[in-house]
Amino acid sequence: MKKTICIAFLILNSSFLIFAEEGMWIPSLLKALNETDMQKLGCKLSADEIYNINKSSLKDGVLQFAGGCTGEMISAEGLFITNHHCGYGQIQAHSSVDHDYLTNGFWAMNKKDELTCPGITVTFIVRIEDVTSKILDGIDNSISETKRDSIIMARGKKIEKESTDGTHYNARVKSFFYGNEFYLFVMETFKDVRMVGAPPESIGKFGGDTDNWMWPRHTGDFSLFRVYADKDNNPADYSPDNVPFKQRYFFPISLKGVQENDFTMVFGFPGRTTEYLPSEAVELIQKVSDPIKVKARTARLAVWEEDMKKSTEVRIKYASKYAGVSNYHKKWAGEIRGLERADGIKVKQEIEKTFMERVSKNPEWSKKYGTILSDFETAYKKLTPYQKVLDYYSETINAIEIIKFANSYRSLIDTKPEELAKKLEAMKAGEKAFFKDYNSGTDKKLFVAMLKIYYENVDKSMHPDFFKTIESKYKGDYEKYAEKIFKKSIFSSEGKVSSLLNGYSADKAKVIKNDPAYILAQSAFGFYGSIGPQYSVLTNEISRLQRDYMYALKVVIPEKKYYPDANSTLRLSYGKVDGYEGRDAVEFNYYTTLDGVIEKEDSTSSEFKVPKKLHDLYEKKEYGQYADKDGKVHVAFIASQHITGGNSGSPVLDASGNLVGVAFDSNWEGVQSDIMYDGSQVRAIILDIRYALFVIDKFAGDTQLVKEMKLVQ
Ligand code: ARG
């Protein structure tokens, strides 16, 4: 009897009580929620020094890079650092067979050599404000989800407008806790961003996909960019007259390194977590969605890899797409494994059991929350077949480049005559961008592989019409069908698309409408469009339930400290430098060194090559001021902060707010933490900032960049 109570208590404890390290906190609420806790863990800063809207504070040094990553200012002249894998798209875009910056790296030895990055933006947070009462005033569950959404949208727009009228700022109201709270973010967005430096892949992506999501890690995952402003220090479109932006705050860089148990915090823009899902949702992810996505991407990557190995041109064209697809491919595989190991479904069921026990003892709660869990069950049961089809569709049919590209021409057909000229300009730019990174031979192989996967795995009743054509007209010969489409369609040829666009007028619409790839795209997208409404009914119902469940969890299980799921807004997480026991008898140390890079060196593998210069520096121990007390160059370390995708490039700060590292990954044992955080297994993988400095100074010899920075001992 005693034993069972003990076990029940343990389960309760581990699933409800938050580890100090769990959570991604809203910077404007640190004073109220976290300051005491942080200082207890060793933080020497006040909440006010971290986030303040009236004077400069740490938050001013943090930026969102290109909408999906984080970066941090490290000089008074607009210089910032982010990850190599965040700058990768830009490094790739500027690369060609003649200027292969992926392979060789890129360093602007003076500001004139920096490369402009059209379309890339950098956003700083000016202020954050709780606008929940303004948004939700008078709204309850008696109105439909669609109505609710439209009221919230309209109120949000109004608040955004009022908060930025007469300024050059932009603003967004964002939902937190699944629509239970709303916050306004006023932002300043810069559009002239230039590439300053990037190490070769053999440093910046060392270990490649083999080491990705893994600890121990030896990747110098950083790149450098600079923000430019007009002469009044305001955001402006690119101009050669622009000057380096002077931000209110930039981070001093510590040369001291970190020790085990040191307090550290991460400031950045985590993208998406879902920590409060019901067990049915976890089951759907673990058993249906993730396995489908992993299977389809395994096939996609194999097709791409084959061609990338054969041709430098194809390798450069597909490098960035490949990295993106493979990154999530591996993440989902790790997520399945992690959820299985952690018994994720059961952990959620335990929480639900406690929830229901408490709810059923309280008549008021019973009335309000009594059916949430059974409604979830019903809704997920109905959703699962649709989800399965849509997962297959998005990872197979929608992965074929020619189909997506052809479909984008529908908007050209629909363009009103008075808007045609402008539309054509945009289409021409889109066409250039598409073909710059496109190889039709590769896409043709993918076409066959993807359609087969869909055909073999999805119920016939869920096949778009073109599958009937393949069966009847082509006797199921996918190669023959592909041959025909790619030969007849204009969308596989840059020359044909560009001549269509150059001489385009409304009467040419029939060229598009009769194109076989376009017809196929219409059949595919039309089909998914037709199941969209039923799918939306279910996802709307689930959104409502998730909102109610989130609210109810806080009421019914109040002993837990709740933090909002990540939603690409600025957050702070904190923890300590810490190793972990990853498997039975396997203890991981908290840092790696250059010695480990040399240990992993394999000149026959594209992922583990070491540049000769780096090897020489290692042999001669030419480490300058960047070696640790132990005489070694430290490459990376791990800490217990809670981070996720979007935190890539985030500043990792010591107790005094100095920059000690740049976050760049999570570990394999902790990949499931977006859905189920487990403090004993989850670690943020962080580039030791001294390794970046060593590479910039000693490897690239770009010493004037280091001079711009503020180094502290
Ligand atoms: N796992 C890292 C992240 O999601 C990205 C690492 C990119 N590297 C690679 N080899 N694909 O932030």
Side-chain angles (χ1 to χ4, degrees):
M1 178 70 201
K2 214 165 171 196
K3 208 168 169 190
T4 42
I5 289 173
C6 249
I7 289 170
F9 180 74
L10 272 180
I11 292 176
L12 203 82
N13 244 338
S14 61
S15 38
F16 297 144
L17 294 185
I18 245 177
F19 285 85
E21 292 87 356
E22 184 174 0
M24 304 165 162
W25 306 96
I26 304 176
S28 52
L29 304 182
L30 290 180
K31 189 150 215 98
L33 295 180
N34 312 93
E35 191 179 52
T36 316
D37 189 28
M38 287 170 72
Q39 291 175 347
K40 227 189 285 162
L41 287 167
C43 184
K44 296 195 185 112
L45 300 173
S46 66
D48 228 29
E49 289 169 293
I50 298 170
Y51 175 88
N52 192 312
I53 58 171
N54 300 314
K55 56 177 208 249
S56 92
S57 59
L58 265 52
K59 78 129 172 56
D60 296 321
V62 188
L63 57 93
Q64 189 170 36
F65 175 69
C69 277
T70 303
E72 55 274 14
M73 303 302 280
I74 50 171
S75 94
E77 294 174 65
L79 184 68
F80 70 90
I81 187 166
T82 181
N83 288 149
H84 184 268
H85 76 260
C86 294
Y88 201 67
Q90 286 310 302
I91 307 167
Q92 186 267 341
H94 287 292
S95 289
S96 61
V97 176
D98 299 332
H99 294 278
D100 187 353
Y101 301 135
L102 293 167
T103 305
N104 306 317
F106 168 79
W107 304 97
M109 289 295 167
N110 57 59
K111 295 200 178 82
K112 272 202 224 59
D113 293 342
E114 294 171 359
L115 298 172
T116 59
C117 301
I120 296 296
T121 58
V122 149
T123 298
F124 296 94
I125 300 302
V126 176
R127 66 187 171 88
I128 304 171
E129 190 184 319
D130 184 348
V131 292
T132 309
S133 54
K134 287 187 199 163
I135 292 280
L136 290 184
D137 182 36
I139 294 184
D140 58 30
N141 271 349
S142 63
I143 55 173
S144 75
E145 282 303 288
T146 330
K147 185 88 199 286
R148 181 188 152 102
D149 288 347
S150 75
I151 297 175
I152 288 176
M153 179 89 93
R155 289 181 184 174
K157 286 262 163 301
K158 188 162 169 266
I159 295 172
E160 288 164 4
K161 186 169 178 305
E162 285 166 1
S163 67
T164 51
D165 265 348
T167 73
H168 65 267
Y169 296 147
N170 51 308
R172 268 302 284 285
V173 170
K174 291 271 234 175
S175 154
F176 284 68
F177 291 116
Y178 297 94
N180 285 298
E181 292 177 22
F182 291 84
Y183 287 80
L184 165 72
F185 291 81
V186 177
M187 301 170 280
E188 187 174 31
T189 296
F190 289 80
K191 291 175 284 186
D192 185 352
V193 179
R194 305 186 195 170
M195 191 162 102
V196 174
E201 280 186 320
S202 51
I203 291 176
K205 206 183 172 206
F206 183 76
D209 293 322
T210 305
D211 274 7
N212 188 20
W213 299 110
M214 297 281 190
W215 180 255
R217 192 68 156 277
H218 298 85
T219 316
D221 197 343
F222 77 94
S223 57
L224 298 164
F225 290 81
R226 197 185 299 279
V227 190
Y228 281 79
D230 67 14
K231 59 180 186 344
D232 302 319
N233 208 32
N234 287 325
D237 285 325
Y238 169 79
S239 155
D241 301 331
N242 285 346
V243 292
F245 171 54
K246 294 204 179 322
Q247 175 57 314
R248 295 209 285 186
Y249 187 82
F250 67 89
F251 290 99
I253 299 177
S254 166
L255 288 171
K256 265 209 320 251
V258 293
Q259 304 293 318
E260 187 140 37
N261 289 320
D262 277 359
F263 173 86
T264 49
M265 54 192 170
V266 176
F267 219 158
F269 293 85
R272 187 173 139 86
T273 58
T274 46
E275 306 285 353
Y276 307 102
L277 295 176
S279 51
E280 290 83 4
V282 175
E283 186 169 350
L284 178 59
I285 293 168
Q286 180 186 328
K287 300 199 169 151
V288 180
S289 287
D290 280 359
I292 291 173
K293 295 192 263 189
V294 170
K295 177 162 64 179
R297 287 195 175 200
T298 304
R300 174 156 34 146
L301 291 167
V303 170
W304 281 352
E305 193 186 353
E306 192 182 47
D307 283 13
M308 287 168 78
K309 279 209 165 124
K310 279 193 252 168
S311 143
T312 304
E313 194 190 331
V314 178
R315 176 176 59 75
I316 293 175
K317 282 182 168 188
Y318 280 78
S320 190
K321 297 187 228 188
Y322 187 97
V325 170
S326 93
N327 188 36
Y328 273 80
H329 168 258
K330 192 162 179 186
K331 181 188 166 169
W332 291 321
E335 193 166 85
I336 297 170
R337 174 189 173 275
L339 288 171
E340 276 168 6
R341 262 183 95 197
D343 224 342
I345 299 168
K346 190 137 150 251
V347 171
K348 293 293 184 192
Q349 283 168 345
E350 291 295 337
I351 296 175
E352 287 158 12
K353 203 167 135 218
T354 308
F355 177 83
M356 273 323 279
E357 272 164 17
R358 294 188 188 181
V359 165
S360 60
K361 285 193 197 120
N362 177 321
E364 195 200 325
W365 289 352
S366 291
K367 216 169 103 209
K368 281 200 202 143
Y369 315 134
T371 63
I372 294 177
L373 291 175
S374 55
D375 290 349
F376 260 138
E377 202 182 327
T378 315
Y380 274 104
K381 210 168 255 154
K382 288 191 200 150
L383 183 78
T384 299
Y386 288 103
Q387 191 59 50
K388 184 177 159 188
V389 171
L390 287 173
D391 286 334
Y392 268 114
Y393 154 71
S394 66
E395 291 293 329
T396 60
I397 298 176
N398 202 37
I400 301 166
E401 294 176 272
I402 196 173
I403 298 187
K404 260 203 315 217
F405 184 55
N407 192 56
S408 70
Y409 278 70
R410 187 174 173 160
S411 64
L412 180 60
I413 299 178
D414 295 342
T415 303
K416 294 193 199 101
E418 64 274 22
E419 281 157 17
L420 191 59
K422 202 168 154 215
K423 179 74 186 172
L424 278 171
E425 282 319 301
M427 296 302 284
K428 282 179 195 166
E431 174 259 320
K432 266 217 173 68
F434 177 78
F435 283 106
K436 178 176 174 296
D437 292 338
Y438 183 68
N439 187 50
S440 71
T442 307
D443 199 34
K444 187 158 65 175
K445 286 188 209 161
L446 187 75
F447 182 98
V448 172
M450 295 294 103
L451 291 189
K452 276 187 181 162
I453 291 182
Y454 190 93
Y455 181 80
E456 283 158 13
N457 290 282
V458 176
D459 190 84
K460 274 217 165 86
S461 65
M462 292 289 188
H463 286 190
D465 279 344
F466 67 83
F467 279 105
K468 290 198 192 89
T469 315
I470 303 179
E471 254 171 81
S472 58
K473 228 172 130 189
Y474 294 85
K475 309 265 173 304
D477 186 339
Y478 283 79
E479 277 82 6
K480 209 159 141 199
Y481 180 61
E483 210 43 65
K484 183 79 173 283
I485 298 268
F486 277 75
K487 202 162 143 207
K488 287 257 165 97
S489 170
I490 62 163
F491 294 106
S492 62
S493 148
E494 177 157 25
K496 286 185 189 156
V497 179
S498 120
S499 70
L500 170 79
L501 289 176
N502 283 327
Y504 192 82
S505 55
D507 59 321
K508 295 266 167 62
K510 60 180 181 306
V511 177
I512 300 172
K513 284 186 190 154
N514 295 330
D515 187 276
Y518 183 81
I519 293 169
L520 165 54
Q522 295 319 296
S523 159
F525 293 102
F527 177 75
Y528 297 100
S530 75
I531 64 171
Q534 301 149 62
Y535 182 73
S536 301
V537 168
L538 293 168
T539 50
N540 277 344
E541 162 75 355
I542 286 171
S543 302
R544 183 186 67 77
L545 289 168
Q546 188 67 53
R547 181 171 72 242
D548 290 349
Y549 186 45
M550 186 75 247
Y551 186 90
L553 274 174
K554 288 174 151 186
V555 175
V556 176
I557 307 177
E559 64 272 30
K560 189 177 149 143
K561 203 170 169 187
Y562 292 90
Y563 58 93
D565 269 319
N567 59 357
S568 293
T569 60
L570 185 64
R571 302 292 179 91
L572 187 89
S573 27
Y574 50 92
K576 59 180 191 210
V577 176
D578 198 8
Y580 67 102
E581 188 180 328
R583 297 186 288 283
D584 188 30
V586 180
E587 281 277 356
F588 287 108
N589 194 6
Y590 71 90
Y591 68 91
T592 59
T593 69
L594 191 55
D595 300 27
V597 174
I598 303 301
E599 261 171 31
K600 283 182 177 173
E601 178 171 16
D602 176 358
S603 56
T604 66
S605 145
S606 60
E607 296 181 318
F608 292 96
K609 280 198 178 63
V610 174
K612 175 161 185 321
K613 175 99 187 265
L614 185 63
H615 203 119
D616 290 349
L617 291 167
Y618 168 77
E619 292 296 343
K620 294 192 210 123
K621 303 282 172 281
E622 258 185 64
Y623 298 159
Q625 56 184 333
Y626 309 115
D628 193 79
K629 293 195 288 298
D630 61 9
K632 296 180 178 185
V633 171
H634 287 208
V635 171
F637 64 91
I638 47 175
S640 57
Q641 277 86 1
H642 190 183
I643 63 165
T644 187
N647 271 120
S648 284
S650 289
V652 180
L653 309 167
D654 67 11
S656 311
N658 297 315
L659 188 67
V660 289
V662 181
F664 71 93
D665 211 355
S666 301
N667 62 329
W668 187 242
E669 293 77 11
V671 171
Q672 71 284 1
S673 64
D674 285 356
I675 295 168
M676 247 198 56
Y677 184 90
D678 172 357
S680 73
Q681 295 295 301
V682 182
R683 294 294 176 270
I685 302 181
I686 298 158
L687 170 72
D688 191 310
I689 194 67
R690 295 171 300 172
Y691 188 53
L693 296 175
F694 164 73
V695 169
I696 297 167
D697 186 343
K698 301 289 172 188
F699 175 82
D702 212 340
T703 46
Q704 89 289 356
L705 282 178
V706 180
K707 284 198 193 108
E708 267 187 71
M709 304 171 195
K710 183 170 158 193
L711 307 185
V712 295
Q713 288 295 337

